Amino acid sequence: MTDRIHLSRRHFLAAGTVALAMPAIIGRASVASAKASFAGEGMIVVPWSGGYETVFKETVIEPFNAEFGTRVESSGGWDQMVPQILAAPVDNPPFDITITEEFVTKQGIAENLWVKNNRAALPNLDAVYPYFAETRPGAGDYGVPFSGGTCMLLVRKSLGLEPTSWSILWDEKLAEKVTLDGSSWWWSLSVPALMSARKPGLDDMFSMASAEPLFHELDKLRVARWYMSGAEQATVLNQEEADAALTYSSDALSLMQASPDEYLVTVPKEGTSAWTDWFIKVRGTRHSDLADLFLNYLLAKETQDRFLAKSMVFMSRRDVEVPSHWQNYPRSNEDLHSMFQLITMEGWASINNEYQAFDDRMKLAISRSAG
């Protein structure tokens, strides 16, 4: 499952553009009568494409339809959702609910594409960690936080290196044995940013002036190969071209399942870069009440437990059942803040202002590497 923001963003950026019961009343129907009330009604929900959508269908959409007799469908996307909505009639959007992270959220707010929450229809929000609203100031009125995806450090066990710090990527034992993302380069750039003492968090990477020292650190890495997709990353590791990687939360689980006991995967002591996944109702939807029912369902404990069991994302609820494969899962709001640093909505705006310069500099860093 690939839950990261992928290649299409490059073109879009360049263009500038505690368990609670369900409520007695949700939208137009009580829980007891919701199945009859919404029976046969359909709508379209956009999750991330690829493996994320596969798991989302199995653990969210199919159980929802079974419970309420609805015909909800999914249509996977990456970050093309905003231009798709803008290209459609205001009263007939191409989908009813969409997933967003910080970049897509900011774009949609700027274009007035999101419907503000009907808070009374979303009682399960009370079970959500405050972290999700705290890291998106000004955006918490739109949609519900479902989960978050992360960058993770992966190391082959046979090396005997404990992945406690991002700094081991510069260890001589890993010279010409590291693979990083050369496509969604902002996540690779976040690694030296997390280690920087100049500014807190990821702030160094939000302008070219402060990011140059971070690129210089990447120049020092003898990268075996910069991968351009999750599939290429898996090939590089499986063929033992690399023994360590910046990987992504769901890619990591796939690698662990494909090669049991082969890798150590963790969030290092410096923390890691991440994004938060919110589902938001789209302007013009003709299924507003059903959308509210679905948004609240996303926050139900049973829903989040099912999804987490098949992933390595972090969920928004405080009381989820953590699977054994997620060894250092965050257990408090404080853990979330210390472990996961977001490229904020403001950070994305700054990067976008100098996007071409960033992109050109990353190409230079890749050309200077060993791979």
Side-chain angles (χ1 to χ4, degrees):
M1 177 175 69
T2 303
D3 53 6
R4 60 197 169 95
I5 307 310
H6 203 53
L7 285 169
S8 57
R9 165 165 296 166
R10 173 168 300 185
H11 307 294
F12 191 29
L13 275 166
T17 44
V18 166
L20 298 176
M22 294 284 278
I25 299 292
I26 305 176
R28 64 174 180 259
S30 69
V31 173
S33 62
K35 186 168 185 176
S37 178
F38 292 103
E41 186 172 347
M43 68 176 180
I44 299 174
V45 179
V46 176
W48 301 131
S49 292
Y52 190 105
E53 183 178 12
T54 300
V55 175
F56 193 79
K57 284 181 177 179
E58 178 184 346
T59 64
V60 181
I61 287 182
E62 291 174 6
F64 182 85
N65 284 335
E67 182 169 350
F68 296 105
T70 50
R71 295 184 296 104
V72 175
E73 303 173 52
S74 69
S75 176
W78 282 117
D79 57 7
Q80 73 275 25
M81 291 82 83
V82 166
Q84 286 178 340
I85 299 169
L86 290 173
V90 173
D91 62 348
N92 190 24
F95 38 81
D96 304 281
I97 294 174
T98 184
I99 197 168
T100 71
E101 39 60 82
E102 285 63 40
F103 178 78
V104 176
T105 298
K106 184 174 182 63
Q107 293 293 318
I109 289 175
E111 298 287 352
N112 296 312
L113 301 186
W114 312 138
V115 177
K116 286 195 173 183
N117 286 338
N118 173 9
R119 185 61 178 81
L122 304 172
N124 281 336
L125 273 172
D126 293 340
V128 167
Y129 277 116
Y131 167 87
F132 288 85
E134 291 165 355
T135 52
R136 277 205 195 182
D141 289 339
Y142 303 92
V144 300
F146 180 62
S147 61
T150 74
C151 298
M152 307 187 87
L153 175 59
L154 176 149
V155 178
R156 201 178 301 277
K157 283 185 179 181
S158 60
L159 294 180
L161 292 172
E162 289 294 327
T164 56
S165 170
W166 288 109
S167 64
I168 70 166
L169 294 177
W170 284 261
D171 192 294
E172 276 299 312
K173 289 184 179 179
L174 289 173
E176 300 184 23
K177 283 291 186 178
V178 171
T179 185
L180 299 177
D181 192 341
S183 170
S184 300
W185 50 257
W186 37 89
W187 303 120
S188 294
L189 187 63
S190 76
V191 174
L194 289 162
M195 298 167 58
S196 174
R198 286 163 42 89
K199 293 183 180 179
L202 301 180
D203 286 2
D204 266 343
M205 64 179 288
F206 296 155
S207 75
M208 276 301 301
S210 57
E212 178 53 38
L214 308 181
F215 281 110
H216 183 65
E217 290 303 311
L218 289 181
D219 291 339
K220 295 178 183 178
L221 273 177
R222 285 176 281 173
V223 177
R225 193 198 298 183
W226 294 82
Y227 62 83
M228 298 296 165
S229 68
E232 185 177 5
Q233 175 196 203
T235 298
V236 171
L237 290 167
N238 291 338
Q239 294 180 350
E240 300 190 7
E241 293 181 59
D243 292 320
L246 176 151
T247 190
Y248 299 97
S249 40
S250 52
D251 289 342
L253 180 57
S254 298
L255 290 163
M256 292 164 66
Q257 291 174 333
S259 302
D261 298 321
E262 181 74 13
Y263 305 109
L264 297 170
V265 180
T266 191
V267 174
K269 64 182 180 181
E270 298 91 353
T272 191
S273 50
W275 57 94
T276 55
D277 297 327
W278 292 55
F279 284 85
I280 301 181
K281 187 162 51 174
V282 177
R283 74 172 186 195
T285 175
R286 300 173 184 179
H287 306 282
S288 184
D289 290 337
L290 178 59
D292 286 342
L293 181 68
F294 189 86
L295 291 175
N296 197 59
Y297 185 84
L298 286 169
L299 302 181
K301 175 173 166 52
E302 294 80 4
T303 306
Q304 299 216 350
D305 283 346
R306 285 194 302 267
F307 193 89
L308 183 58
K310 295 180 178 293
S311 71
M312 284 191 75
V313 301
F314 57 97
M315 307 307 297
S316 63
R317 283 189 68 104
R318 300 188 295 266
D319 57 353
V320 291
E321 182 176 342
V322 180
S324 59
H325 61 253
W326 225 129
Q327 291 297 312
N328 58 336
Y329 187 87
R331 303 287 182 167
S332 68
N333 204 60
E334 292 73 22
D335 283 349
L336 290 170
H337 277 288
S338 64
M339 291 173 67
F340 305 126
Q341 300 284 332
L342 303 187
I343 301 180
T344 62
M345 293 191 294
E346 293 73 18
W348 273 120
S350 297
I351 290 171
N352 193 34
N353 287 338
E354 301 181 89
Y355 180 80
Q356 192 58 56
F358 273 103
D359 197 48
D360 291 344
R361 183 60 179 88
M362 178 54 76
K363 289 174 181 175
L364 179 61
I366 292 173
S367 72
R368 288 173 172 173
S369 70

